[in-house]
Amino acid sequence: MDKFDFKNKPLKELTRSKYKRILEVQQENTKNDFLFDFGIFLKKNGKLIGGCSLMDISRQVFQNAYIGYHIFNNYWSQGYAQEAINACLYL
């Protein structure tokens, strides 16, 4: 374990209803054009290895957004974040 690892969440926090609420908030943010969340998956087997977000979206004379990402530490330093960010640039 390195300095970026955090303890696992207690199983009581990993409930279907909590996950459903997270999805509802994400859908509301997407509907309001405020935040778009995407999963990052391995091409070879579809395994989820992180996520990427477009946030604080501004659609004025020019369009602007911040890009955030997270990669699970077992997949660091393999180019997955760079590939995900590049994909976000063409959405």
Side-chain angles (χ1 to χ4, degrees):
M1 200 184 295
D2 63 33
K3 66 181 180 178
F4 297 107
D5 286 326
F6 298 98
K7 290 184 177 180
N8 291 332
K9 292 194 178 282
L11 287 178
K12 66 181 179 181
E13 289 187 34
L14 303 174
T15 63
R16 183 180 296 267
S17 61
K18 186 166 188 167
Y19 187 69
K20 183 178 178 187
R21 180 66 189 133
I22 289 169
L23 291 175
E24 288 169 353
V25 169
Q26 288 176 335
Q27 286 176 338
E28 188 67 24
N29 285 331
T30 299
K31 182 176 135 187
N32 293 328
D33 202 31
F34 179 72
L35 174 84
F36 293 84
D37 283 319
F38 305 96
I40 300 173
F41 301 89
L42 290 178
K43 291 178 184 177
K44 65 182 175 183
N45 61 15
K47 184 175 184 178
L48 178 68
I49 62 166
C52 190
S53 300
L54 293 174
M55 60 197 117
D56 295 332
I57 297 166
S58 174
R59 298 187 190 272
Q60 305 289 323
V61 174
F62 65 93
Q63 295 189 45
N64 185 54
Y66 290 99
I67 299 175
Y69 65 90
H70 63 277
I71 301 291
F72 303 148
N73 62 353
N74 293 348
Y75 300 95
W76 289 356
S77 301
Q78 297 178 47
Y80 295 122
Q82 183 176 358
E83 186 175 353
I85 297 303
N86 287 334
C88 280
L89 295 175
Y90 293 98
L91 291 175

